[in-house]
Amino acid sequence: MYAIVEIAGQQFKVEKDQKVFVHRLASEEGDAVSFDNVLLIGDGDNVTLGAPAIDGAQVSAKVLKHLQGDKVIVFKKKRRKGYRVKNGHRQALTEIVIESIAASGAKKAAPAKKAKKATATKADDLKKIEGAGPKAAEALVNAGIDTFAKVANTPAEKLSEVLTAASSRLSHIVTETWPKQAQLAADGKWDELKELQDRLDGGIEK
């Protein structure tokens, strides 16, 4: 039996006992993880297609280790302007091993509960945090974490749990420096925030 499943924003064809490298997951080494965005399952001549996902299907895996991928060099140049910038990037990855593929009967993770809108406090633009795109920011706001101060007071592990509960596509996002970034933003220290963000590599401070 094999399956095509979406893990951390990427699609993989997987089988039982197969090892896969995916974008960094928030789980610890040795943790059991599951993915319910299964797009296709094949078992011999029987092929089941989702629309887009198969209801009740699930791929279960175990986290083996966290690591960084090979360095990629990014070089930017503007002609006749003397502009040259060279940066290196190593993608944060997680190695997992597929333990089982369930065609049906799996329970999907409950979505994060939407918080009641506050009238006294104005929400901050959480997208100013490096690594927090529109979907991640929306997930935090829906969980009631809608200001820089609240992000700063929330442990990185909890932030990762909120993102994973909202969507498996957000589970690869590394939130390790988000509380530190948010504290600088809450204090209005934008220059220090920019310096910190310039030092980040795959969401991790160099």
Side-chain angles (χ1 to χ4, degrees), residues 136-150:
E138 180 182 0
L140 294 179
V141 171
N142 289 340
I145 308 173
D146 55 0
T147 65
F148 293 130
K150 291 181 180 179

Side-chain angles (χ1 to χ4, degrees), residues 52-104:
I54 301 173
D55 188 32
Q58 187 178 82
V59 172
S60 299
K62 180 180 179 180
V63 176
L64 297 180
K65 62 181 178 180
H66 298 299
L67 66 159
Q68 287 187 310
D70 296 333
K71 177 173 281 190
V72 177
I73 302 298
V74 180
F75 182 74
K76 297 181 180 180
K77 176 183 176 182
K78 295 182 180 178
R79 293 181 59 195
R80 295 188 291 273
K81 294 184 181 294
Y83 178 85
R84 292 168 178 257
V85 177
K86 181 180 179 181
N87 290 313
H89 173 73
R90 296 183 66 189
Q91 180 65 44
L93 302 173
T94 297
E95 183 180 11
I96 62 175
V97 59
I98 305 301
E99 294 189 328
S100 66
I101 299 173
S104 61

